[in-house]
């Protein structure tokens, strides 16, 4: 799982459109997928800094780590930063349906094992060099290299011969066949619901990223992390750590040079993003929705506003490799003993709900019927801890085998409401809770090394219901929770082994029930966001699957 990437009362404001809403029952009340839009009403109120920009669009981004290469970053903000630079063969539209980008179209064989991609004619990378099927083959080969240890688990696609290549038994991958410069055929060995997106991801230039490639040696790519070059709508210009990432429109983009010449991702602190938007430092910013923020944005007059559910969820990792967390009763007690509703109320002020299953309510797979919802129950938590052998000792802290139940909690937010609530809740059930606030990238590093007890994160945008649960598979390379459950392993695979959505719904519902019995982490919240767009910006349509990246080529500034 790539962590924490985002999609990046006034009488003068009026609600101009409202989408159809869907509501489903949830223990915390009603989960609403309703979205609302409010158009800007007074462009004369635009800040002078905004009016002065004639060819530049500025959006906020939180904490990039500087690894600007698809498949190799660990920080989801780097994913946001690379999206303008690298184009995929296939992407998702605003409804989550696949659409061709670099691929004009594709064919899938009757047995659903062979994919043939037909690339658009005359594709080029931003440096003017041709983009061909050879680049697609190189990208997929790189992901099979034994030295590759990134977030993309290409083995899920089961390309024929991929395992042999990875193990050094073959010098090429049998299932990858370049038919001609615009056609590539990829044969897989098992049906996988995610194969289309796995095979149709962002394309790397063989000439640029493969010129120094040697099997089993990928360290050379680190020198190119800060020098990205792709076939997306924008080309990389400059990265100033802690300040901004600058881009320039790519004249070689397949759909034509973007309408707005310059793109800037300004690195911001979430506590200052509203102020920066108000003063014209940003053309676009996303906020955790709350009534005060929405009303303040409306009062500006120059802001177009969208509110609605975010296609992610927030949770707290539990390090299942720690001895004290191996018993599921302890993990269950951590959930029962935490007032998650209070956390949601404090954090989102009516614009969030308690999460009970690891998928967003906007997903077709959402179904929490019959799932243990772990409503706050301190007495139940105490009973479970007693059952697991943790007895109350000196100072009210539970002990077992001479070890005190002390939990270290990692967060990147100084105002994290989990801290005061968990301190009080866990003290009540005999657990000492010790928070530590750190830089987000340092937190990600500790997760990767399993050097933590509890750590709070949010998922990236969920493209498929398998995304948030795949890493829970016992042998997954990015199993940061250190979780292992044979039944969960089986259901994860079953959920990917059919393209039939109705069958997949049933499988994921069963998986959610099993995770309710044997929890891997503490689910905390679903949230809504408020997205603010400067009224002079046209063509920007943030969605729940690609954020703002799909809109970037179409953004223009009203004259």
């Amino acid at each position: 799982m790539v962590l924490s990437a985002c999609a990046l009362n006034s009488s003068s404001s009026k609600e101009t459109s409202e989408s159809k809403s869907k509501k489903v029952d949830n223990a915390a009340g009603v989960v609403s997928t309703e979205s609302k839009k409010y158009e800007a009403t007074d462009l004369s109120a635009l800040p002078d800094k905004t009016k002065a920009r004639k060819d530049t669009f500025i959006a906020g981004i939180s904490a990039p780590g500087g690894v600007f290469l698809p498949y190799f970053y660990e920080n989801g903000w780097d994913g946001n930063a690379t999206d303008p630079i690298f184009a995929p063969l296939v992407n998702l539209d605003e409804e989550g349906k696949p659409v061709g980008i670099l691929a004009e179209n594709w064919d899938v064989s009757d047995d659903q094992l062979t994919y043939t991609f037909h690339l658009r004619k005359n594709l080029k990378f931003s440096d003017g060099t041709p983009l061909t099927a050879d680049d697609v083959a190189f990208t997929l080969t790189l992901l099979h290299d034994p030295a590759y240890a990134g977030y993309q688990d290409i083995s899920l696609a089961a390309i024929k011969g991929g395992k042999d290549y990875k193990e050094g038994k073959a010098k090429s991958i049998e299932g990858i066949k370049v038919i001609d410069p615009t056609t590539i055929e990829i044969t897989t060995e098992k049906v996988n619901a995610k194969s289309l997106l796995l095979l149709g991801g962002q394309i790397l230039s063989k000439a640029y990223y493969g010129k120094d490639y040697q099997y089993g040696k990928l360290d050379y790519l680190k020198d190119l992390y800060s020098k990205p070059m792709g076939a997306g709508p924008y080309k990389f210009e400059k990265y100033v750590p802690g300040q901004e990432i600058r881009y320039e429109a790519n004249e070689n983009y397949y759909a034509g040079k973007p309408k707005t010449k310059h793109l800037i991702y300004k690195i911001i602190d979430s506590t200052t993003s509203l102020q920066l938007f108000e003063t014209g430092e940003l053309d676009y910013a996303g906020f955790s929705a709350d009534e005060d923020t929405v009303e303040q944005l409306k009062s500006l007059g120059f802001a177009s506003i969208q509110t609605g559910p975010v296609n992610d969820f927030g949770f707290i990792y539990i390090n299942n490799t720690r001895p004290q967390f191996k018993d599921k009763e302890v993990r269950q007690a951590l959930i029962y003993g935490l007032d998650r509703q209070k956390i949601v109320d404090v954090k989102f002020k009516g614009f969030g709900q308690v999460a009970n299953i690891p998928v967003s309510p906007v997903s077709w797979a959402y179904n929490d019927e019959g799932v243990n919802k772990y409503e706050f129950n301190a007495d139940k938590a105490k009973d479970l801890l007693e059952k697991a052998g943790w007895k109350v000792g000196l100072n009210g802290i539970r002990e077992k085998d001479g070890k005190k139940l002390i939990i270290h909690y990692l967060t990147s937010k100084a105002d994290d409401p989990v801290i005061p609530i968990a301190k009080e809740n866990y003290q009540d059930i005999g657990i000492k809770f010790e928070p530590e606030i750190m830089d987000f990238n340092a937190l990600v590093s500790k997760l990767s090394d399993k050097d933590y007890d509890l750590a709070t994160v949010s998922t990236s945008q969920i493209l498929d219901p398998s995304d948030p649960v795949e890493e829970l598979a016992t042998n997954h390379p990015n199993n940061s929770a250190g979780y292992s459950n044979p039944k969960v392993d089986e259901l994860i695979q079953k959920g990917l082994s059919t393209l039939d959505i109705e069958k997949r719904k049933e499988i994921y519902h069963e998986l959610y029930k099993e995770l309710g019995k044997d929890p891997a982490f503490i689910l905390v919240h679903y949230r809504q966001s408020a997205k603010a767009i400067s009224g002079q910006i046209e063509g920007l349509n943030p969605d729940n699957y690609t954020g703002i990246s799909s809109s970037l080529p179409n953004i223009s500034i009203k004259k």
Side-chain angles (χ1 to χ4, degrees):
M1 186 180 298
V2 180
L3 306 177
S4 220
C6 285
L8 295 212
N9 228 336
S10 171
S11 59
S12 63
S13 294
K14 67 175 182 177
E15 188 173 326
T16 57
S17 64
E18 181 175 323
S19 72
K20 294 180 180 179
S21 65
K22 179 180 75 174
K23 296 183 179 180
V24 291
D25 291 335
N26 180 277
V30 176
V31 177
S32 173
T33 57
E34 182 181 27
S35 296
K36 295 180 180 179
K37 292 184 179 181
Y38 307 87
E39 298 295 341
T41 57
D42 184 10
L43 293 188
S44 67
L46 283 165
D48 291 340
K49 288 182 180 179
T50 304
K51 293 177 182 177
R53 287 195 292 274
K54 305 301 181 185
D55 63 355
T56 302
F57 171 74
I58 304 178
I61 192 171
S62 286
V67 180
F68 302 142
L69 181 60
Y71 312 115
F72 287 84
Y73 54 78
E74 294 180 338
N75 176 342
W77 297 111
D78 285 349
N80 291 105
T82 58
D83 279 348
I85 307 168
F86 296 88
L89 294 181
V90 180
N91 211 340
L92 296 176
D93 66 14
E94 61 185 14
E95 296 179 349
K97 297 175 182 177
V99 291
I101 303 298
L102 298 180
E104 191 166 38
N105 52 62
W106 58 89
D107 305 312
V108 183
S109 60
D110 291 341
D111 61 7
Q112 299 178 343
L113 293 176
T114 300
Y115 293 75
T116 304
F117 292 96
H118 304 281
L119 277 60
R120 298 181 188 276
K121 304 294 189 294
N122 302 315
L123 290 174
K124 293 180 181 179
F125 289 102
S126 63
D127 66 352
T129 57
L131 189 159
T132 71
D134 282 330
D135 298 293
V136 180
F138 164 72
T139 302
L140 293 172
T141 300
L142 194 69
L143 296 178
H144 283 84
D145 192 277
Y148 175 72
Y151 64 84
Q152 184 76 296
D153 186 3
I154 195 64
S155 68
L156 291 170
I159 299 176
K160 188 175 182 180
K163 188 170 181 287
D164 286 344
Y165 181 81
K166 189 176 184 72
E167 294 176 352
K169 298 176 182 177
K171 293 187 176 181
S172 62
I173 299 175
E174 181 183 353
I176 300 176
K177 293 184 179 179
V178 174
I179 307 301
D180 59 47
T182 61
T183 311
I184 186 167
E185 180 185 277
I186 304 166
T187 302
T188 67
E189 295 181 321
K190 64 180 181 181
V191 176
N192 187 304
K194 288 181 61 176
S195 284
L196 179 61
L197 293 181
L198 284 167
L199 302 176
Q202 292 165 306
I203 303 305
L204 307 183
S205 163
K206 182 178 180 180
Y208 186 74
Y209 288 103
K211 61 182 178 182
D212 295 321
Y213 174 61
Q214 295 180 47
Y215 180 81
K217 298 178 181 179
L218 298 183
D219 280 351
Y220 75 95
L221 288 171
K222 293 179 180 178
D223 291 334
L224 299 176
Y225 286 172
S226 60
K227 306 169 187 174
M229 194 282 292
Y234 282 85
K235 52 189 178 181
F236 177 78
E237 187 177 346
K238 182 170 64 172
Y239 169 48
V240 182
Q243 295 185 39
E244 64 184 19
I245 310 168
R246 301 184 70 97
Y247 309 80
E248 186 176 346
N250 176 13
E251 62 274 14
N252 292 310
Y253 186 52
Y254 84 92
K257 185 178 180 179
K259 297 177 181 179
T260 300
K261 184 176 181 180
H262 299 290
L263 167 67
I264 297 175
Y265 279 165
K266 188 177 183 67
I267 299 170
I268 62 173
D269 184 305
S270 59
T271 62
T272 62
S273 55
L274 182 54
Q275 178 185 350
L276 292 171
F277 182 79
E278 287 181 352
T279 58
E281 299 284 348
L282 299 174
D283 293 304
Y284 170 83
F287 312 91
S288 290
D290 63 65
E291 190 171 351
D292 290 343
T293 300
V294 173
E295 292 305 316
Q296 189 171 350
L297 289 170
K298 286 182 185 178
S299 71
L300 297 176
F302 66 82
S304 295
I305 308 157
Q306 298 180 15
T307 63
V310 181
N311 192 11
D312 65 14
F313 60 86
F315 67 104
I316 299 172
Y317 269 111
I318 302 174
N319 187 346
N320 287 243
T321 66
R322 295 279 203 251
Q324 63 269 39
F325 302 136
K326 287 188 179 295
D327 290 332
K328 68 179 180 182
E329 288 81 9
V330 175
R331 285 177 268 126
Q332 291 172 341
L334 291 176
I335 309 174
Y336 275 120
L338 183 63
D339 193 343
R340 296 179 295 150
Q341 183 63 58
K342 188 174 182 180
I343 293 170
V344 169
D345 290 343
V346 171
K347 189 175 180 71
F348 300 110
K349 299 178 179 65
F351 285 79
Q353 293 86 26
V354 170
N356 291 311
I357 59 175
V359 74
S360 162
V362 305
S363 170
W364 52 260
Y366 184 91
N367 182 353
D368 68 354
E369 184 180 348
V371 173
N372 186 350
K373 296 182 172 61
Y374 287 93
E375 295 182 24
F376 179 51
N377 189 329
D379 290 336
K380 179 74 170 175
K382 291 174 184 177
D383 290 343
L384 286 164
L385 291 171
E386 289 285 338
K387 181 180 177 182
W390 290 92
K391 307 298 181 181
V392 177
L394 296 175
N395 301 319
I397 304 300
R398 292 182 181 272
E399 299 179 5
K400 181 179 180 182
D401 300 328
K403 181 177 176 62
K404 292 182 182 294
L405 191 48
I406 301 173
I407 293 178
H408 298 275
Y409 169 80
L410 306 183
T411 179
S412 61
K413 304 289 186 183
D415 60 349
D416 184 348
V418 171
I419 294 175
I421 295 170
K423 266 188 176 181
E424 180 181 341
N425 290 167
Y426 285 158
Q427 181 179 348
D428 181 49
I429 62 175
I431 298 173
K432 187 174 182 181
F433 181 82
E434 297 185 344
E436 182 180 353
I437 301 164
M438 61 176 55
D439 173 77
F440 177 73
N441 291 306
L443 188 152
V444 171
S445 178
K446 282 186 172 288
L447 279 172
S448 299
D449 296 337
K450 295 187 179 66
D451 182 20
Y452 72 98
D453 289 340
L454 301 183
T456 187
V457 296
S458 290
T459 68
S460 299
Q461 288 173 318
I462 300 169
L463 305 184
D464 185 273
S466 66
D467 293 344
V469 295
E470 276 175 20
E471 69 165 45
L472 298 178
T474 301
N475 295 319
H476 194 285
N478 297 322
N479 188 340
S480 296
Y483 182 78
S484 180
N485 178 322
K487 186 172 182 180
V488 168
D489 290 348
E490 177 188 352
L491 290 169
I492 288 171
Q493 289 303 313
K494 284 181 69 176
L496 290 168
S497 65
T498 176
L499 306 188
D500 186 321
I501 284 183
E502 294 307 313
K503 289 182 180 177
R504 295 188 78 202
K505 285 181 181 178
E506 294 175 7
I507 294 165
Y508 286 110
H509 190 207
E510 186 179 353
L511 174 60
Y512 301 148
K513 287 182 176 179
E514 179 61 25
L515 287 171
K517 297 173 186 174
D518 182 22
F521 36 53
I522 303 172
L523 292 164
V524 180
H525 68 253
Y526 305 123
R527 65 188 176 102
Q528 292 199 26
S529 71
K531 301 177 179 71
I533 304 169
S534 169
Q536 73 172 14
I537 300 298
E538 296 181 315
L540 181 62
N541 295 299
D543 65 61
N544 268 323
Y545 292 92
T546 67
I548 65 171
S549 63
S550 292
S551 295
L552 291 177
N554 306 315
I555 291 173
S556 62
I557 299 173
K558 289 180 183 178
K559 304 300 183 186

